[in-house]
Amino acid sequence: QKEVEQDPGPLSVPEGAIVSLNCTYSNSAFQYFMWYRQYSRKGPELLMYTYSSGNKEDGRFTAQVDKSSKYISLFIRDSQPSDSATYLCAMSAAGASGNTPLVFGKGTRLSVIA
Amino acid sequence: GAVVSQHPSWVICKSGTSVKIECRSLDFQATTMFWYRQFPKQSLMLMATSNEGSKATYEQGVEKDKFLINHASLTLSTLTVTSAHPEDSSFYICSGGVTTQYFGPGTRLLVL
């Protein structure tokens, strides 16, 4: 079993839809959870960062962490064509500082159709 | 957020040649930077941890003699792919940061 599982998609939704992206993980030591957005042939861009369980909201994006189920989610409201990208979940046990390597999911390719 | 740059953004080389990729932190000092490799439609795989002033730490299965890492200053880490072969063709990305990690734009390497 891989440490982090993420459905690679592709996921195609109409503009304005609510998008739900998910990851599961097996390492109960993970405490720090991140979502990155990666456009084609570009480096990943940090979207959301959460520590332990709970919700975090930033504009149209909401990140949820359920440590009891080892399950994290990213919701995108009012999706736009510009949201079309690959979304990668990442996590670590030892923190999210610049000194800590991250474990990534495979990424989910999202297409938002106008 | 922090800014990480990479150079070159893409490179094509002949099999057997060596290629150097630079990773710079533009607005922070990085004692540690990470090098990842990403194959098409795959996730980022950590290759090595670059430590300023000391030897890099390589992940299992990554040949340290093939992927030379130098972190001579707090703002620059370099990855040299020595004697590159077509199977080394990939997207190489570095990352660094202070409170969290930020990624460079990546370098696409194509070995003919």
Side-chain angles (χ1 to χ4, degrees), chain A residues 87-102:
Chain A
Y87 289 80
L88 298 139
C89 63
M91 44 198 83
S92 81
S97 73
N99 295 332
T100 307
L102 304 177

Side-chain angles (χ1 to χ4, degrees), chain B residues 42-105:
Chain B
Q42 299 293 317
S43 189
L44 282 76
M45 295 301 295
L46 180 65
M47 296 176 66
T49 301
S50 171
N51 303 299
E52 188 268 334
S54 64
K55 290 183 179 180
T57 305
Y58 291 82
E59 295 300 299
Q60 192 173 12
V62 178
E63 300 174 58
K64 62 180 181 181
D65 294 330
K66 181 168 184 63
F67 298 99
L68 301 178
I69 291 173
N70 183 276
H71 195 152
S73 79
L74 288 171
T75 59
L76 174 63
S77 174
T78 61
L79 168 69
T80 301
V81 183
T82 63
S83 187
H85 290 284
E87 59 264 30
D88 299 323
S89 299
S90 188
F91 192 51
Y92 293 86
I93 309 175
C94 65
S95 72
V98 179
T99 55
T100 192
Q101 277 193 49
Y102 293 88
F103 287 81

Side-chain angles (χ1 to χ4, degrees), chain A residues 56-114:
Chain A
K56 185 174 184 178
E57 188 173 319
D58 184 0
R60 296 185 295 113
F61 299 92
T62 300
Q64 285 186 354
V65 175
D66 182 348
K67 289 190 67 182
S68 63
S69 302
K70 298 191 180 67
Y71 187 87
I72 68 170
S73 301
L74 177 70
F75 297 96
I76 307 174
R77 290 183 298 282
D78 188 24
S79 56
Q80 303 294 311
S82 58
D83 295 327
S84 299
T86 296
Y87 289 80
L88 298 139
C89 63
M91 44 198 83
S92 81
S97 73
N99 295 332
T100 307
L102 304 177
V103 179
F104 283 87
K106 261 192 169 183
T108 300
R109 270 202 308 155
L110 170 68
S111 292
V112 181
I113 312 299

